[in-house]
Amino acid sequence: MSKKDAALFWDTAHRYLDHHLKVIRQVSSHTIDSYRDCLNSFINYLEEVEHINRKRISFHNFKKETLKRYQSWMITERSLAPKTCNLRMTAIRAFLEYAAQEYLWVMPIYTDACNIVGVKTTNPVIEYFEPNEMAALLAAPSGNNKTDRRNQMMLIFLYDTAARVAEARQVKVSDLHLDAEVPYVTLLGKGRKYRNIPLLEKTILHARRYLKEFHGSDLKSDAPLFYSKTHGEIHRLSSDTFEKMIKRYADQCRADGCPMPDHVHCHMVRKTRAMDLYREGVPLAHIQQLLGHENISTTSGFYAFATLDVLAKAMETVSPDEGVKSWSDPDTLERLYRL
């Protein structure tokens, strides 16, 4: 391929990552990094396996046959998880879609890429805490020291709001609206979209005590709600701090005789909250709003299934005698044998 074709590709890739995604789409830095890694992985494949010098790579190297070989290589040679393979192919298609809008001749390449079948995946088992486990976890912080009191508020906040860790660590004091007619907190979620989450009365009481101890009287502060201090300066907590915190209290619960899942993480609290609401009959559309899912299919894919206890209760309500009688009813039989 000519140097002109290669220059066009690299210029388009840089504009896509550094301008289109960052400035126009305003996606998170994590998403941009993920897309950059996916494209770099394919470029590395072209250089190392297809033996194409990266200085000569162009859109002509994104043809369907090459992409299918790349997909097969990821599965057979690299033994990557199906989800990872599909994510990388999705990133490539998204980039080609952008390029096709810029250069019409790329459209057939993009269309062919869309026709490549993804790797079959299996839905993972949903990880969440049972009611007794969640209750034990929330009660685990002793409250005897300042760190424990902060951590207890963090656990309560994660459960009540069903916030992602990335969302919780970004919350500022001013994002809490405790004196509103319906008290709520504003979360900044994926795609830089805000959503307001109502707070329970018990959570409000805990929040007021926490704010008084950790933030004084400045309730309009832009300081992070959850923080640590180093050399007298306030620092936003890292995601690792959240994860280490929940693992520590899970270990403590096990030591106290309360069983816990083998591998615990903060996202399980979010799923537990959603599962508890689902069990109580809250409509999926409301759970979707709480979780900040853009599509209802994302919510239903995780939570719209009969849990064992719900299924057992439903089965108990059916009497064998009543079931037999219904089959002999003429009206019932007539309905059953209609299309």
Side-chain angles (χ1 to χ4, degrees), residues 19 53 79 85 89 98 101 108 115 124 169 178 211 216 235 240 243 246 250 253 258 292 306 320 334 339:
H19 180 73
N53 190 302
S79 301
C85 297
M89 296 297 288
Y98 167 78
Q101 294 170 356
N115 291 329
R169 61 185 296 269
L178 302 184
L211 289 170
H235 299 278
D240 285 344
E243 297 298 344
I246 198 169
C253 289
C258 179
E334 186 178 354
L339 294 178

Side-chain angles (χ1 to χ4, degrees), residues 97-110:
E97 181 182 18
Y98 167 78
Q101 294 170 356
E102 297 283 310
Y103 316 108
L104 190 59
W105 59 269
V106 179
M107 183 59 73
I109 299 175
Y110 164 63

Side-chain angles (χ1 to χ4, degrees), residues 74-75 78-87 119-121:
M74 286 191 290
I75 299 168
R78 297 297 304 278
S79 301
L80 297 180
K83 187 176 180 180
T84 302
C85 297
N86 291 338
L87 175 63
V119 184
K120 187 176 181 180
T121 60

